[in-house]
Amino acid sequence: MDCNGYRQENHEQNLFPKPKVLVLEPPPVFIYHEDKLSQKFHFLKAWDSPLPLDQFLTTHAHSVQAILSHGSCPVTTNTIRLLPSLGLIVTTSAGLDQIDLQECRRRGVSVAYAGSLFSADVADIAVGLLIDALRNISAGNRYVTQGLWANNGDFSLGSKLGGRKVGIVGLGSIGLEVGKRLEPFGCNILYCSRNKKSSVSYPYYSTVCELATNCEVLIICCELNDQTRHVINKEVLLALGKKGLIINVGRGAIIDEQEMVRCLMQGEIAGAGLDVFENEPHVPSELISLDNVVLSPHRAVHTEETLMALVELVIGNLEAFFSNKPLLSPVLLDE
Ligand SMILES: O=CC(=O)O
């Protein structure tokens, strides 16, 4: 740009400064689309500052009206309290367990989220993990790449997907997408949810334990909250049984991870496919060493196409907020 053009741009920015948005830790949508986002907003990058977080927040306390956040980035009571001008938190996640919603409600801070934008992608990964765990795809890959095939090593038989009784925990938009994908494979779908759904004819169970007793695979699709934390406990895992598989695309803490590791090690359940963990990015070393466990780094929501749609949603929500219009994907905090 020539000298005059540069001056013109600076002049316009002084007249119409971009709204400031705080980013505590960069979500993937920011990492991949920072240029696009930065055309509209001025991002205050807390993770990039040499200042301790509290000091950074205090420094920008009065200019921060909005935060851009994501599923693994806590927005705590302390953060909210240090930002008296805060009016909006936009999270790029569908899950909201990382945000202190009670404090948002109390302070009148609005929250916007991803809604069901990536339910289909998450369901794809759930099915992928299930087929992998049943048919030993990752284990087969290791068998070939480690030279065991060439050396005539043993390779265990897989199990059939068709006809399997699959219990979905949480029949929200992700759970429904999982059911939709598994029906054509010939799976029998059962579910457990806060309420029985009139839109499906799948058998309903009111407790996870009853569901586990009646199925061979549990797929965790529910949100993490006080009711679902460690809802998959020892009793549920034992009810699932020695041939049972557990797939988790919800949140790590829905399962009592220590208990699951013990059950996997002792053959109390047959295997697992996990995209989420209790203490991410740390994965218990026992899980890494097991051949009947398939691991994925909390990437169920990340596809190129969905990140493109997400960046538009984030921009739309921020623009709506800064121009006093209704948010595109608000969280209903009074529910
Ligand atoms: O895990 C990701 C999300 O909650 O969207």
Side-chain angles (χ1 to χ4, degrees):
M1 187 179 294
D2 69 24
C3 189
N4 286 339
Y6 179 73
R7 279 210 193 110
Q8 173 72 17
E9 188 183 274
N10 267 356
H11 177 65
E12 281 178 8
Q13 279 190 11
N14 290 339
L15 280 180
F16 307 107
K18 292 182 205 168
K20 286 187 183 158
V21 178
L22 170 69
V23 185
L24 298 166
E25 290 166 20
V29 76
F30 189 84
I31 296 169
Y32 289 98
H33 297 289
E34 179 175 353
D35 286 354
K36 186 166 178 142
L37 287 160
S38 297
Q39 284 167 13
K40 308 240 176 188
F41 308 100
H42 175 81
F43 289 98
L44 300 168
K45 303 176 180 180
W47 82 93
D48 219 13
S49 163
L51 296 178
L53 180 61
D54 279 12
Q55 211 177 321
F56 183 85
L57 296 179
T58 314
T59 308
H60 297 284
H62 291 281
S63 61
V64 172
Q65 287 175 269
I67 295 180
L68 172 60
S69 166
H70 65 99
S72 320
C73 170
V75 184
T76 62
T77 318
N78 182 52
T79 297
I80 298 170
R81 289 194 179 159
L82 286 172
L83 301 171
S85 304
L86 185 67
L88 175 70
I89 298 168
V90 183
T91 178
T92 59
S93 62
L96 298 166
D97 51 284
Q98 73 285 6
I99 300 175
D100 186 339
L101 295 178
Q102 215 175 328
E103 184 62 13
C104 289
R105 211 172 280 129
R106 194 187 70 75
R107 268 277 306 279
V109 173
S110 303
V111 179
Y113 74 139
S116 56
L117 193 69
F118 26 61
S119 298
D121 291 333
V122 177
D124 289 345
I125 286 283
V127 173
L129 289 171
L130 172 58
I131 297 179
D132 191 331
L134 279 171
R135 299 300 309 276
N136 303 328
I137 297 174
S138 294
N141 179 61
R142 287 190 292 275
Y143 177 74
V144 175
T145 54
Q146 291 170 4
L148 296 171
W149 192 21
N151 288 330
N152 291 324
D154 268 352
F155 188 64
S156 49
L157 287 179
S159 305
K160 205 172 170 61
L161 174 61
R164 205 148 287 270
K165 286 189 264 174
V166 178
I168 299 177
V169 180
L171 205 67
S173 68
I174 296 172
L176 284 167
E177 290 288 336
V178 170
K180 211 160 83 183
R181 281 159 178 69
L182 288 178
E183 274 187 75
F185 281 106
C187 295
N188 299 307
I189 314 291
L190 312 83
Y191 76 105
C192 152
S193 213
R194 254 180 309 214
N195 304 303
K196 192 170 185 321
K197 312 266 172 185
S198 55
S199 58
V200 293
S201 56
Y202 308 145
Y204 169 73
Y205 294 87
S206 58
T207 70
V208 189
C209 203
E210 267 184 273
L211 179 69
T213 307
N214 287 285
C215 68
E216 302 164 293
V217 175
L218 272 184
I219 304 191
I220 315 303
C221 301
C222 62
E223 64 177 44
L224 174 64
N225 56 37
D226 290 344
Q227 286 73 47
T228 60
R229 187 175 301 276
H230 282 198
V231 73
I232 309 296
N233 54 21
K234 180 174 179 182
E235 191 190 357
V236 173
L237 292 165
L238 294 182
L240 184 60
K242 291 189 189 306
K243 293 198 165 169
L245 287 179
I246 190 145
I247 307 297
N248 193 1
V249 290
R251 282 284 186 268
I254 294 167
I255 303 180
D256 180 341
E257 197 170 72
Q258 249 184 316
E259 201 49 61
M260 176 182 65
V261 168
R262 196 195 60 75
C263 286
L264 284 163
M265 304 279 293
Q266 297 182 357
E268 301 284 6
I269 59 171
L274 308 167
D275 183 55
V276 286
F277 305 87
E278 272 209 79
N279 186 22
E280 294 174 5
H282 304 289
V283 175
S285 54
E286 296 91 332
L287 290 179
I288 293 171
S289 66
L290 286 170
D291 227 22
N292 55 343
V293 176
V294 185
L295 303 170
S296 149
H298 199 153
R299 283 295 182 272
V301 300
H302 295 150
T303 60
E304 253 177 58
E305 295 82 355
T306 301
L307 281 195
M308 282 305 287
L310 192 56
V311 77
E312 298 300 338
L313 186 65
V314 165
I315 290 174
N317 274 311
L318 287 169
E319 283 183 334
F321 169 74
F322 284 113
S323 49
N324 277 323
K325 294 198 176 129
L327 298 175
L328 304 190
S329 54
V331 174
L332 302 177
L333 289 174
D334 287 328
E335 262 189 357

